[in-house]
Amino acid sequence: MKLPVLLAALVAVATCFETFVGHQVLRVIPKSDEELQKVQELQDLEHLQLDFWLAPRGLGLPIDIRVPFASLMLVKTHLEASGVSYSVMIEDVQALVDEEQTEMLRSSRQLPLNTNTFNYEAYHTLDEIYNFMDMLVAENPNLVSKLEIGRSTEDRPLYVLKFSTGGTNRPAIWIDTGIHSREWVTQASGVWFAKKIVQDHTNNEGVASILETMDIFLEIVTNPDGFAFTQTKNRMWRKTRSKHSGSICVGVDPNRNWDAGFGEAGASSNPCTETYHGPYANSEPEVKSIVDFVKSHGNIKAFISIHSYSQLLLYPYGYTETPVPDQQELHEVSAKAVAALSSLYGTKYKYGSIITTIYRASGGTIDWTYNQGIKYSFTFELRDTGRYGFLLPAKQIIPTAEETWLALKVIMEHARDNMY
Amino acid sequence: DIDDAGHKYCLELELEDVLDKGRTVLCAAEVLYPLGSTSTAPEVQVTAQGELRSTEEADKEFYNRIRSLEKELVAENIPDSHGNVPPELEPIHLLAWAASGYVIWQNSTENTKFHLAQVQHVKQVKRSDEDLQFDYVLLLHEMVSQEVIPWEVTVLWHPQRGARVSRD
C-alpha cells in the first residue's frame, strides 16, 4: 500500500516543518452522480485542508483524500450521513512517512548500523568487511583493536584484529582466513568468529576463559587484492595479484610462498599456474607481513590457517614425508577437534598431516610456523566436499562457522592447557 | 598392480541421492588405470544394487518446458558467486553435473581429483529430432594442481533416452 512518489514528497516536506501525525488517507469510489457530488462538495471546504491525492474523475474511479486529524470526524460523518462508503487506505500517514524516511537513509548508506544488524548470513565486499572491523572495535574498545601489519601489492591495508583483556605480550593464538581469495566461506566465517569472540567475552562463556590468559589475533582478509579481484573480475581467483618481472602472468600462491621447503616438489615454478611459489620465499607482502608479525611477537602458541574446500583438518608437514616430532599429539588434538565439529551438524571431516591427507605441498604456511616453534599449527579445509566447492551457498556460512568454531575451541583450549 | 596393464582398484561405494537424502544405493566398481598413458581414460566396471527414485514426472515437466520455449535458453554462472541457483535452472545444473562426470572420467589419472566448479555458460540448441541439446562451458576444478579449467561439452537429453555427451 505504499505510494512511493507521494510519500517521498511528504518526507521532503516532513523533514522541513510539517507533521502528518494522525492524518489518514481515505478512498471513495463513487457509484453514482450523487456520491460524486457529495465528495466534490468536500473539495470546496477549504478550512478542512483536504489534500486530494487522486482527484474526482468519474464514476467507478477511486478518489483518495489525505485528511488532517482535525478534520477526520467531520469528513467521515459527512460521508456516512450521505451513504457514501469509504475505506481507510492509510491509518497513520506519519508512521508511513517515518518508515519511508528510515528506509531511504538506510539504503543510501548501504551499511549496517552496528555489528548486531550486520548480516552474517551473506557474503560481503571488502569495504563491508573493513567497515565491520571498525564497528567491532568501536563497540568494544576495551577488548578489540585493529592492527595494520602491512600493505598488499596493490597497496591495500592488511588488518589484524587483536582480542585482548590486558597483559603484555601474552601467549597468543593466531587465526587467518581468506589467504586464498576464492575460498569465500572462510572470510565470511572469520567475520562470524570475530563477533563470536566478543559475544563470548560479554557473556563470560566459551573463549572468555581463554582470553583471561591469552590473546587472539584474527586476520579476516589475508589476501585483499585477490578478494577484490574475485568480486570484480574472476570469482575463481586464488593467488595474490603481484607481477614479477619475466612473466605476463599475475599472482603467487600465498600458500607456497613460505620459507619451508620453498621451491621443492609440491609447488610450481611456472608463474602462470595456481600453485606458483613466487620468485623467492616471502616475496609476497601478504606473507612477509605475517612472517614479520610472528617473529616480532615471539609468543604465538597456536597458529591456524583456514581454507576451503574439502572438510579436512591438517597438521604439518606438506613438504616432506618425515613426520613432525609432535605428530602423535597433533593427531590426538585433531581427532578431538573433528569430533567436536561433527557433533553440531554431523559434518564429516578427515584429518592427518598435509602430505598424507591431501598432497605434497611445499612452502606452506603451517610448515613454516611449526618450524618456528609454534607447535599447534593447523590448517582447516572447510565445507563442502565438492558439490558447491568454492561457491558454497550463503545459507551455509553460519552453520559452517558454528561447527568450525567448536573445533577451534578444542585447539585453543589445548594450547592454553599445555603451555610450552 | 596388474603387470603390463596398469593399476586396478576395487571399490565398494555407497551412493546417496542428494535430492532424496536417506536413499542410498550400494555399488561395487573396478577401475583400471592404464600403465603409463595419461591420455587414455580409465576402464570402469560398475554394478549397482538398489533402486533410484523415479523422476518421470519431473523429467516430463522439464522436457515440455524447454521444448515450449520460444527463444533458446541461455544462462551463465550457475551457481552464481554466492552459491545460488534459480529454481528453474536447477535441472540445467544437474544435467551439467552428469556431463561433468563423463568429462572427469575421460580425463582422470591416479593423480587428479576433479570437481565441477561452475557452469560458466550454457546455450540450448533447438533440434529437429526429439532430443534436447545444451552446449555447455563447464569449469572444472582440479584439486592437485588447483587449476580451474574451462571445458566445452555438448549434451543431448531425452526423458527416456537419458543424457549423452556428443562432443567434448
mmCIF file of all heavy atoms in Angstrom, chain A residues 123 182 184 235-236 238 256 272-275 309-310 359 385-388 390-394, chain B residues 18-19 79-83 90 93 97 115-118 139 141 143-148:
data_model
loop_
_atom_site.group_PDB
_atom_site.id
_atom_site.type_symbol
_atom_site.label_atom_id
_atom_site.label_comp_id
_atom_site.label_asym_id
_atom_site.label_seq_id
_atom_site.Cartn_x
_atom_site.Cartn_y
_atom_site.Cartn_z
ATOM 1 N N TYR A 123 27.442 -13.070 1.940
ATOM 2 C CA TYR A 123 28.819 -12.736 1.588
ATOM 3 C C TYR A 123 28.931 -11.218 1.437
ATOM 4 O O TYR A 123 28.003 -10.564 0.976
ATOM 5 C CB TYR A 123 29.208 -13.430 0.281
ATOM 6 C CG TYR A 123 29.325 -14.926 0.412
ATOM 7 C CD1 TYR A 123 28.409 -15.776 -0.188
ATOM 8 C CD2 TYR A 123 30.363 -15.502 1.150
ATOM 9 C CE1 TYR A 123 28.519 -17.157 -0.065
ATOM 10 C CE2 TYR A 123 30.474 -16.875 1.278
ATOM 11 C CZ TYR A 123 29.548 -17.702 0.675
ATOM 12 O OH TYR A 123 29.664 -19.061 0.804
ATOM 13 N N ARG A 182 39.415 -17.062 -3.407
ATOM 14 C CA ARG A 182 38.154 -17.629 -3.896
ATOM 15 C C ARG A 182 37.429 -18.460 -2.842
ATOM 16 O O ARG A 182 36.289 -18.867 -3.058
ATOM 17 C CB ARG A 182 38.401 -18.492 -5.148
ATOM 18 C CG ARG A 182 39.316 -19.695 -4.942
ATOM 19 C CD ARG A 182 39.669 -20.328 -6.294
ATOM 20 N NE ARG A 182 40.550 -21.496 -6.157
ATOM 21 C CZ ARG A 182 41.214 -22.036 -7.165
ATOM 22 N NH1 ARG A 182 41.102 -21.529 -8.383
ATOM 23 N NH2 ARG A 182 41.993 -23.085 -6.965
ATOM 24 N N TRP A 184 35.547 -18.171 -0.315
ATOM 25 C CA TRP A 184 34.721 -17.151 0.324
ATOM 26 C C TRP A 184 34.125 -17.538 1.665
ATOM 27 O O TRP A 184 33.882 -16.662 2.499
ATOM 28 C CB TRP A 184 33.588 -16.723 -0.616
ATOM 29 C CG TRP A 184 33.979 -15.733 -1.660
ATOM 30 C CD1 TRP A 184 35.245 -15.424 -2.090
ATOM 31 C CD2 TRP A 184 33.096 -14.916 -2.415
ATOM 32 N NE1 TRP A 184 35.193 -14.464 -3.064
ATOM 33 C CE2 TRP A 184 33.882 -14.128 -3.292
ATOM 34 C CE3 TRP A 184 31.697 -14.753 -2.454
ATOM 35 C CZ2 TRP A 184 33.324 -13.209 -4.186
ATOM 36 C CZ3 TRP A 184 31.151 -13.848 -3.340
ATOM 37 C CH2 TRP A 184 31.957 -13.083 -4.194
ATOM 38 N N ARG A 235 35.795 -14.787 -10.224
ATOM 39 C CA ARG A 235 35.366 -15.394 -8.950
ATOM 40 C C ARG A 235 36.292 -16.524 -8.536
ATOM 41 O O ARG A 235 36.344 -16.878 -7.361
ATOM 42 C CB ARG A 235 33.932 -15.900 -9.124
ATOM 43 C CG ARG A 235 33.335 -16.669 -7.943
ATOM 44 C CD ARG A 235 33.237 -15.825 -6.700
ATOM 45 N NE ARG A 235 32.635 -16.552 -5.602
ATOM 46 C CZ ARG A 235 33.282 -17.393 -4.800
ATOM 47 N NH1 ARG A 235 34.578 -17.627 -4.994
ATOM 48 N NH2 ARG A 235 32.648 -18.011 -3.823
ATOM 49 N N MET A 236 36.994 -17.109 -9.504
ATOM 50 C CA MET A 236 37.841 -18.274 -9.214
ATOM 51 C C MET A 236 39.295 -17.914 -8.962
ATOM 52 O O MET A 236 40.163 -18.796 -8.986
ATOM 53 C CB MET A 236 37.763 -19.281 -10.376
ATOM 54 C CG MET A 236 36.389 -19.855 -10.588
ATOM 55 S SD MET A 236 35.890 -20.869 -9.203
ATOM 56 C CE MET A 236 34.180 -21.221 -9.628
ATOM 57 N N ARG A 238 42.671 -17.299 -7.052
ATOM 58 C CA ARG A 238 43.199 -17.907 -5.828
ATOM 59 C C ARG A 238 44.383 -17.133 -5.252
ATOM 60 O O ARG A 238 44.510 -16.993 -4.026
ATOM 61 C CB ARG A 238 43.614 -19.333 -6.173
ATOM 62 C CG ARG A 238 44.532 -20.063 -5.207
ATOM 63 C CD ARG A 238 44.926 -21.400 -5.831
ATOM 64 N NE ARG A 238 45.991 -22.086 -5.138
ATOM 65 C CZ ARG A 238 45.803 -22.970 -4.164
ATOM 66 N NH1 ARG A 238 44.595 -23.254 -3.750
ATOM 67 N NH2 ARG A 238 46.838 -23.577 -3.606
ATOM 68 N N ARG A 256 52.325 -21.238 -0.952
ATOM 69 C CA ARG A 256 53.522 -21.939 -1.422
ATOM 70 C C ARG A 256 54.717 -21.002 -1.302
ATOM 71 O O ARG A 256 55.823 -21.338 -1.735
ATOM 72 C CB ARG A 256 53.373 -22.362 -2.902
ATOM 73 C CG ARG A 256 52.213 -23.307 -3.210
ATOM 74 C CD ARG A 256 52.427 -24.708 -2.660
ATOM 75 N NE ARG A 256 51.403 -25.640 -3.110
ATOM 76 C CZ ARG A 256 50.180 -25.734 -2.574
ATOM 77 N NH1 ARG A 256 49.829 -24.932 -1.580
ATOM 78 N NH2 ARG A 256 49.312 -26.624 -3.051
ATOM 79 N N CYS A 272 52.395 -18.925 -14.393
ATOM 80 C CA CYS A 272 51.026 -18.931 -14.910
ATOM 81 C C CYS A 272 50.159 -20.008 -14.270
ATOM 82 O O CYS A 272 49.023 -20.250 -14.711
ATOM 83 C CB CYS A 272 51.039 -19.105 -16.435
ATOM 84 S SG CYS A 272 51.983 -17.800 -17.252
ATOM 85 N N THR A 273 50.675 -20.672 -13.245
ATOM 86 C CA THR A 273 49.903 -21.729 -12.603
ATOM 87 C C THR A 273 49.392 -21.293 -11.239
ATOM 88 O O THR A 273 49.889 -20.327 -10.646
ATOM 89 C CB THR A 273 50.757 -22.996 -12.416
ATOM 90 O OG1 THR A 273 51.931 -22.651 -11.667
ATOM 91 C CG2 THR A 273 51.168 -23.576 -13.757
ATOM 92 N N GLU A 274 48.433 -22.037 -10.737
ATOM 93 C CA GLU A 274 47.782 -21.681 -9.478
ATOM 94 C C GLU A 274 48.642 -21.961 -8.256
ATOM 95 O O GLU A 274 48.381 -21.416 -7.183
ATOM 96 C CB GLU A 274 46.463 -22.449 -9.325
ATOM 97 C CG GLU A 274 45.420 -22.129 -10.365
ATOM 98 C CD GLU A 274 44.757 -20.770 -10.160
ATOM 99 O OE1 GLU A 274 45.278 -19.933 -9.400
ATOM 100 O OE2 GLU A 274 43.708 -20.535 -10.777
ATOM 101 N N THR A 275 49.658 -22.831 -8.397
ATOM 102 C CA THR A 275 50.499 -23.131 -7.236
ATOM 103 C C THR A 275 51.908 -22.567 -7.417
ATOM 104 O O THR A 275 52.872 -23.090 -6.852
ATOM 105 C CB THR A 275 50.562 -24.647 -6.978
ATOM 106 O OG1 THR A 275 50.992 -25.303 -8.179
ATOM 107 C CG2 THR A 275 49.216 -25.198 -6.539
ATOM 108 N N TYR A 309 37.962 -25.913 -0.182
ATOM 109 C CA TYR A 309 37.013 -26.779 0.475
ATOM 110 C C TYR A 309 37.624 -28.184 0.608
ATOM 111 O O TYR A 309 38.699 -28.406 0.029
ATOM 112 C CB TYR A 309 35.731 -26.839 -0.366
ATOM 113 C CG TYR A 309 35.934 -27.302 -1.772
ATOM 114 C CD1 TYR A 309 35.799 -28.639 -2.157
ATOM 115 C CD2 TYR A 309 36.305 -26.391 -2.785
ATOM 116 C CE1 TYR A 309 36.009 -29.050 -3.465
ATOM 117 C CE2 TYR A 309 36.510 -26.800 -4.102
ATOM 118 C CZ TYR A 309 36.364 -28.122 -4.427
ATOM 119 O OH TYR A 309 36.573 -28.535 -5.732
ATOM 120 N N SER A 310 37.023 -29.070 1.252
ATOM 121 C CA SER A 310 37.368 -30.498 1.332
ATOM 122 C C SER A 310 37.023 -31.124 2.680
ATOM 123 O O SER A 310 37.017 -32.347 2.800
ATOM 124 C CB SER A 310 38.851 -30.790 1.066
ATOM 125 O OG SER A 310 39.149 -30.710 -0.305
ATOM 126 N N TYR A 359 47.990 -33.836 -0.378
ATOM 127 C CA TYR A 359 49.036 -33.993 -1.383
ATOM 128 C C TYR A 359 50.299 -33.318 -0.866
ATOM 129 O O TYR A 359 50.294 -32.601 0.127
ATOM 130 C CB TYR A 359 48.622 -33.371 -2.717
ATOM 131 C CG TYR A 359 47.913 -32.027 -2.626
ATOM 132 C CD1 TYR A 359 48.478 -30.926 -1.996
ATOM 133 C CD2 TYR A 359 46.649 -31.867 -3.198
ATOM 134 C CE1 TYR A 359 47.809 -29.710 -1.917
ATOM 135 C CE2 TYR A 359 45.979 -30.653 -3.130
ATOM 136 C CZ TYR A 359 46.559 -29.583 -2.497
ATOM 137 O OH TYR A 359 45.887 -28.391 -2.439
ATOM 138 N N THR A 385 32.482 -30.798 0.171
ATOM 139 C CA THR A 385 33.431 -31.758 -0.399
ATOM 140 C C THR A 385 33.388 -31.747 -1.926
ATOM 141 O O THR A 385 33.922 -32.634 -2.568
ATOM 142 C CB THR A 385 33.145 -33.195 0.093
ATOM 143 O OG1 THR A 385 31.778 -33.499 -0.167
ATOM 144 C CG2 THR A 385 33.455 -33.342 1.571
ATOM 145 N N GLY A 386 32.758 -30.738 -2.495
ATOM 146 C CA GLY A 386 32.804 -30.626 -3.958
ATOM 147 C C GLY A 386 31.471 -30.345 -4.616
ATOM 148 O O GLY A 386 31.420 -29.981 -5.783
ATOM 149 N N ARG A 387 30.368 -30.492 -3.873
ATOM 150 C CA ARG A 387 29.079 -30.257 -4.537
ATOM 151 C C ARG A 387 28.943 -28.807 -4.985
ATOM 152 O O ARG A 387 28.511 -28.511 -6.086
ATOM 153 C CB ARG A 387 27.936 -30.621 -3.604
ATOM 154 C CG ARG A 387 26.623 -30.309 -4.264
ATOM 155 C CD ARG A 387 25.494 -31.123 -3.752
ATOM 156 N NE ARG A 387 24.275 -30.741 -4.485
ATOM 157 C CZ ARG A 387 23.090 -30.609 -3.937
ATOM 158 N NH1 ARG A 387 22.931 -30.839 -2.655
ATOM 159 N NH2 ARG A 387 22.053 -30.275 -4.674
ATOM 160 N N TYR A 388 29.316 -27.890 -4.105
ATOM 161 C CA TYR A 388 29.327 -26.474 -4.483
ATOM 162 C C TYR A 388 30.754 -25.927 -4.515
ATOM 163 O O TYR A 388 31.035 -24.922 -5.156
ATOM 164 C CB TYR A 388 28.496 -25.644 -3.508
ATOM 165 C CG TYR A 388 27.013 -25.860 -3.653
ATOM 166 C CD1 TYR A 388 26.334 -26.764 -2.849
ATOM 167 C CD2 TYR A 388 26.282 -25.166 -4.622
ATOM 168 C CE1 TYR A 388 24.971 -26.965 -3.002
ATOM 169 C CE2 TYR A 388 24.926 -25.361 -4.774
ATOM 170 C CZ TYR A 388 24.271 -26.260 -3.965
ATOM 171 O OH TYR A 388 22.922 -26.456 -4.119
ATOM 172 N N PHE A 390 33.865 -23.962 -4.128
ATOM 173 C CA PHE A 390 34.132 -22.576 -3.736
ATOM 174 C C PHE A 390 32.849 -21.754 -3.662
ATOM 175 O O PHE A 390 32.789 -20.748 -2.961
ATOM 176 C CB PHE A 390 35.092 -21.917 -4.723
ATOM 177 C CG PHE A 390 36.412 -22.626 -4.833
ATOM 178 C CD1 PHE A 390 36.857 -23.120 -6.056
ATOM 179 C CD2 PHE A 390 37.207 -22.838 -3.714
ATOM 180 C CE1 PHE A 390 38.063 -23.785 -6.156
ATOM 181 C CE2 PHE A 390 38.421 -23.507 -3.812
ATOM 182 C CZ PHE A 390 38.845 -23.985 -5.030
ATOM 183 N N LEU A 391 31.824 -22.185 -4.418
ATOM 184 C CA LEU A 391 30.576 -21.415 -4.494
ATOM 185 C C LEU A 391 29.576 -21.910 -3.455
ATOM 186 O O LEU A 391 28.430 -22.212 -3.774
ATOM 187 C CB LEU A 391 29.980 -21.530 -5.897
ATOM 188 C CG LEU A 391 30.906 -21.151 -7.046
ATOM 189 C CD1 LEU A 391 30.189 -21.280 -8.375
ATOM 190 C CD2 LEU A 391 31.435 -19.743 -6.881
ATOM 191 N N LEU A 392 30.020 -21.995 -2.209
ATOM 192 C CA LEU A 392 29.145 -22.508 -1.147
ATOM 193 C C LEU A 392 27.998 -21.544 -0.915
ATOM 194 O O LEU A 392 28.212 -20.347 -0.738
ATOM 195 C CB LEU A 392 29.958 -22.679 0.139
ATOM 196 C CG LEU A 392 29.295 -23.547 1.200
ATOM 197 C CD1 LEU A 392 29.287 -25.010 0.769
ATOM 198 C CD2 LEU A 392 30.020 -23.386 2.545
ATOM 199 N N PRO A 393 26.752 -22.047 -0.948
ATOM 200 C CA PRO A 393 25.607 -21.153 -0.762
ATOM 201 C C PRO A 393 25.699 -20.392 0.561
ATOM 202 O O PRO A 393 26.087 -20.950 1.594
ATOM 203 C CB PRO A 393 24.415 -22.120 -0.753
ATOM 204 C CG PRO A 393 24.875 -23.301 -1.539
ATOM 205 C CD PRO A 393 26.350 -23.418 -1.251
ATOM 206 N N ALA A 394 25.318 -19.135 0.516
ATOM 207 C CA ALA A 394 25.452 -18.253 1.672
ATOM 208 C C ALA A 394 24.748 -18.791 2.913
ATOM 209 O O ALA A 394 25.203 -18.552 4.034
ATOM 210 C CB ALA A 394 24.921 -16.866 1.321
ATOM 211 N N VAL B 18 21.383 -36.838 -3.702
ATOM 212 C CA VAL B 18 21.389 -35.555 -2.981
ATOM 213 C C VAL B 18 20.008 -34.917 -2.951
ATOM 214 O O VAL B 18 19.740 -34.066 -2.107
ATOM 215 C CB VAL B 18 22.416 -34.546 -3.561
ATOM 216 C CG1 VAL B 18 23.816 -35.042 -3.367
ATOM 217 C CG2 VAL B 18 22.120 -34.220 -4.997
ATOM 218 N N LEU B 19 19.142 -35.330 -3.859
ATOM 219 C CA LEU B 19 17.797 -34.758 -3.888
ATOM 220 C C LEU B 19 16.812 -35.607 -3.096
ATOM 221 O O LEU B 19 15.632 -35.314 -3.039
ATOM 222 C CB LEU B 19 17.314 -34.618 -5.329
ATOM 223 C CG LEU B 19 18.196 -33.744 -6.213
ATOM 224 C CD1 LEU B 19 17.641 -33.689 -7.622
ATOM 225 C CD2 LEU B 19 18.326 -32.338 -5.642
ATOM 226 N N PRO B 79 26.302 -22.368 -10.132
ATOM 227 C CA PRO B 79 25.678 -21.346 -9.307
ATOM 228 C C PRO B 79 26.342 -19.982 -9.492
ATOM 229 O O PRO B 79 27.431 -19.892 -10.059
ATOM 230 C CB PRO B 79 25.918 -21.849 -7.881
ATOM 231 C CG PRO B 79 26.473 -23.217 -7.991
ATOM 232 C CD PRO B 79 27.058 -23.341 -9.362
ATOM 233 N N ASP B 80 25.714 -18.937 -8.981
ATOM 234 C CA ASP B 80 26.353 -17.628 -9.052
ATOM 235 C C ASP B 80 27.424 -17.519 -7.967
ATOM 236 O O ASP B 80 27.699 -18.492 -7.255
ATOM 237 C CB ASP B 80 25.313 -16.501 -8.959
ATOM 238 C CG ASP B 80 24.624 -16.412 -7.602
ATOM 239 O OD1 ASP B 80 25.110 -17.015 -6.623
ATOM 240 O OD2 ASP B 80 23.580 -15.730 -7.525
ATOM 241 N N SER B 81 28.030 -16.333 -7.866
ATOM 242 C CA SER B 81 29.144 -16.164 -6.925
ATOM 243 C C SER B 81 28.781 -16.523 -5.491
ATOM 244 O O SER B 81 29.648 -16.879 -4.700
ATOM 245 C CB SER B 81 29.624 -14.708 -6.939
ATOM 246 O OG SER B 81 30.329 -14.446 -8.116
ATOM 247 N N HIS B 82 27.500 -16.383 -5.165
ATOM 248 C CA HIS B 82 27.072 -16.612 -3.782
ATOM 249 C C HIS B 82 26.518 -18.016 -3.581
ATOM 250 O O HIS B 82 25.922 -18.302 -2.553
ATOM 251 C CB HIS B 82 26.015 -15.574 -3.394
ATOM 252 C CG HIS B 82 26.539 -14.169 -3.436
ATOM 253 N ND1 HIS B 82 26.354 -13.259 -2.429
ATOM 254 C CD2 HIS B 82 27.274 -13.523 -4.371
ATOM 255 C CE1 HIS B 82 26.941 -12.115 -2.750
ATOM 256 N NE2 HIS B 82 27.496 -12.248 -3.913
ATOM 257 N N GLY B 83 26.664 -18.877 -4.610
ATOM 258 C CA GLY B 83 26.180 -20.244 -4.473
ATOM 259 C C GLY B 83 24.716 -20.435 -4.798
ATOM 260 O O GLY B 83 24.167 -21.509 -4.582
ATOM 261 N N GLU B 90 17.762 -25.303 -11.986
ATOM 262 C CA GLU B 90 18.296 -26.446 -11.248
ATOM 263 C C GLU B 90 18.479 -27.676 -12.143
ATOM 264 O O GLU B 90 19.533 -28.313 -12.087
ATOM 265 C CB GLU B 90 17.400 -26.741 -10.041
ATOM 266 C CG GLU B 90 17.927 -27.785 -9.074
ATOM 267 C CD GLU B 90 19.285 -27.478 -8.465
ATOM 268 O OE1 GLU B 90 19.579 -26.305 -8.180
ATOM 269 O OE2 GLU B 90 20.078 -28.435 -8.294
ATOM 270 N N HIS B 93 21.554 -27.339 -14.098
ATOM 271 C CA HIS B 93 22.709 -27.551 -13.224
ATOM 272 C C HIS B 93 22.968 -29.042 -13.053
ATOM 273 O O HIS B 93 24.099 -29.519 -13.142
ATOM 274 C CB HIS B 93 22.426 -26.874 -11.885
ATOM 275 C CG HIS B 93 23.573 -26.904 -10.924
ATOM 276 N ND1 HIS B 93 23.397 -26.981 -9.549
ATOM 277 C CD2 HIS B 93 24.915 -26.856 -11.112
ATOM 278 C CE1 HIS B 93 24.575 -26.981 -8.954
ATOM 279 N NE2 HIS B 93 25.513 -26.909 -9.867
ATOM 280 N N TRP B 97 26.065 -31.461 -14.143
ATOM 281 C CA TRP B 97 26.753 -32.335 -13.212
ATOM 282 C C TRP B 97 26.998 -33.707 -13.842
ATOM 283 O O TRP B 97 28.099 -34.273 -13.753
ATOM 284 C CB TRP B 97 25.896 -32.476 -11.942
ATOM 285 C CG TRP B 97 26.698 -32.954 -10.792
ATOM 286 C CD1 TRP B 97 26.868 -34.216 -10.358
ATOM 287 C CD2 TRP B 97 27.501 -32.130 -9.943
ATOM 288 N NE1 TRP B 97 27.728 -34.249 -9.297
ATOM 289 C CE2 TRP B 97 28.127 -32.985 -9.010
ATOM 290 C CE3 TRP B 97 27.741 -30.747 -9.875
ATOM 291 C CZ2 TRP B 97 28.993 -32.507 -8.028
ATOM 292 C CZ3 TRP B 97 28.588 -30.285 -8.889
ATOM 293 C CH2 TRP B 97 29.203 -31.163 -7.979
ATOM 294 N N HIS B 115 36.406 -31.687 -9.637
ATOM 295 C CA HIS B 115 35.014 -31.394 -9.274
ATOM 296 C C HIS B 115 34.483 -30.351 -10.240
ATOM 297 O O HIS B 115 35.251 -29.513 -10.728
ATOM 298 C CB HIS B 115 34.907 -30.813 -7.854
ATOM 299 C CG HIS B 115 35.245 -31.798 -6.790
ATOM 300 N ND1 HIS B 115 36.381 -31.710 -6.027
ATOM 301 C CD2 HIS B 115 34.597 -32.905 -6.361
ATOM 302 C CE1 HIS B 115 36.413 -32.720 -5.174
ATOM 303 N NE2 HIS B 115 35.345 -33.456 -5.349
ATOM 304 N N LEU B 116 33.180 -30.365 -10.466
ATOM 305 C CA LEU B 116 32.577 -29.292 -11.245
ATOM 306 C C LEU B 116 32.538 -28.039 -10.382
ATOM 307 O O LEU B 116 31.937 -28.043 -9.303
ATOM 308 C CB LEU B 116 31.150 -29.670 -11.663
ATOM 309 C CG LEU B 116 30.363 -28.566 -12.391
ATOM 310 C CD1 LEU B 116 30.984 -28.238 -13.742
ATOM 311 C CD2 LEU B 116 28.899 -28.980 -12.587
ATOM 312 N N ALA B 117 33.205 -26.966 -10.811
ATOM 313 C CA ALA B 117 33.239 -25.738 -10.013
ATOM 314 C C ALA B 117 32.052 -24.841 -10.325
ATOM 315 O O ALA B 117 31.482 -24.218 -9.428
ATOM 316 C CB ALA B 117 34.541 -24.980 -10.267
ATOM 317 N N GLN B 118 31.716 -24.756 -11.612
ATOM 318 C CA GLN B 118 30.642 -23.842 -12.003
ATOM 319 C C GLN B 118 30.274 -24.093 -13.452
ATOM 320 O O GLN B 118 31.123 -24.520 -14.238
ATOM 321 C CB GLN B 118 31.116 -22.392 -11.859
ATOM 322 C CG GLN B 118 30.020 -21.330 -11.955
ATOM 323 C CD GLN B 118 30.583 -19.918 -11.875
ATOM 324 O OE1 GLN B 118 31.623 -19.632 -12.449
ATOM 325 N NE2 GLN B 118 29.901 -19.036 -11.182
ATOM 326 N N LEU B 139 33.309 -25.267 -15.861
ATOM 327 C CA LEU B 139 34.583 -25.006 -15.190
ATOM 328 C C LEU B 139 34.862 -26.172 -14.257
ATOM 329 O O LEU B 139 34.081 -26.465 -13.358
ATOM 330 C CB LEU B 139 34.514 -23.711 -14.380
ATOM 331 C CG LEU B 139 34.353 -22.420 -15.171
ATOM 332 C CD1 LEU B 139 34.307 -21.230 -14.227
ATOM 333 C CD2 LEU B 139 35.487 -22.236 -16.172
ATOM 334 N N HIS B 141 37.375 -27.872 -11.520
ATOM 335 C CA HIS B 141 38.446 -27.576 -10.560
ATOM 336 C C HIS B 141 39.245 -28.842 -10.335
ATOM 337 O O HIS B 141 38.674 -29.893 -9.986
ATOM 338 C CB HIS B 141 37.833 -27.091 -9.244
ATOM 339 C CG HIS B 141 38.838 -26.929 -8.135
ATOM 340 N ND1 HIS B 141 38.632 -27.418 -6.865
ATOM 341 C CD2 HIS B 141 40.061 -26.340 -8.107
ATOM 342 C CE1 HIS B 141 39.672 -27.127 -6.090
ATOM 343 N NE2 HIS B 141 40.553 -26.473 -6.825
ATOM 344 N N MET B 143 42.032 -30.604 -8.077
ATOM 345 C CA MET B 143 42.486 -30.372 -6.705
ATOM 346 C C MET B 143 44.009 -30.328 -6.575
ATOM 347 O O MET B 143 44.549 -29.516 -5.828
ATOM 348 C CB MET B 143 41.920 -31.496 -5.822
ATOM 349 C CG MET B 143 41.953 -31.241 -4.346
ATOM 350 S SD MET B 143 40.997 -29.826 -3.843
ATOM 351 C CE MET B 143 39.351 -30.449 -3.889
ATOM 352 N N VAL B 144 44.737 -31.194 -7.247
ATOM 353 C CA VAL B 144 46.188 -31.277 -7.049
ATOM 354 C C VAL B 144 46.887 -30.044 -7.624
ATOM 355 O O VAL B 144 47.733 -29.436 -6.976
ATOM 356 C CB VAL B 144 46.764 -32.573 -7.652
ATOM 357 C CG1 VAL B 144 48.266 -32.634 -7.460
ATOM 358 C CG2 VAL B 144 46.102 -33.794 -7.014
ATOM 359 N N SER B 145 46.535 -29.675 -8.824
ATOM 360 C CA SER B 145 47.159 -28.509 -9.437
ATOM 361 C C SER B 145 46.438 -27.222 -9.033
ATOM 362 O O SER B 145 46.953 -26.130 -9.229
ATOM 363 C CB SER B 145 47.120 -28.628 -10.956
ATOM 364 O OG SER B 145 45.767 -28.612 -11.397
ATOM 365 N N GLN B 146 45.209 -27.369 -8.514
ATOM 366 C CA GLN B 146 44.354 -26.251 -8.136
ATOM 367 C C GLN B 146 43.877 -25.420 -9.327
ATOM 368 O O GLN B 146 43.371 -24.323 -9.168
ATOM 369 C CB GLN B 146 45.035 -25.343 -7.095
ATOM 370 C CG GLN B 146 45.143 -25.981 -5.720
ATOM 371 C CD GLN B 146 43.766 -26.188 -5.097
ATOM 372 O OE1 GLN B 146 42.829 -25.436 -5.316
ATOM 373 N NE2 GLN B 146 43.626 -27.254 -4.309
ATOM 374 N N GLU B 147 44.048 -25.962 -10.514
ATOM 375 C CA GLU B 147 43.630 -25.221 -11.707
ATOM 376 C C GLU B 147 42.121 -25.315 -11.902
ATOM 377 O O GLU B 147 41.509 -26.332 -11.563
ATOM 378 C CB GLU B 147 44.330 -25.769 -12.956
ATOM 379 C CG GLU B 147 45.846 -25.657 -12.928
ATOM 380 C CD GLU B 147 46.367 -24.225 -12.931
ATOM 381 O OE1 GLU B 147 45.693 -23.333 -13.490
ATOM 382 O OE2 GLU B 147 47.465 -23.978 -12.378
ATOM 383 N N VAL B 148 41.546 -24.254 -12.442
ATOM 384 C CA VAL B 148 40.137 -24.260 -12.839
ATOM 385 C C VAL B 148 40.123 -24.193 -14.362
ATOM 386 O O VAL B 148 40.563 -23.211 -14.954
ATOM 387 C CB VAL B 148 39.366 -23.081 -12.223
ATOM 388 C CG1 VAL B 148 37.953 -23.005 -12.782
ATOM 389 C CG2 VAL B 148 39.317 -23.225 -10.708
#
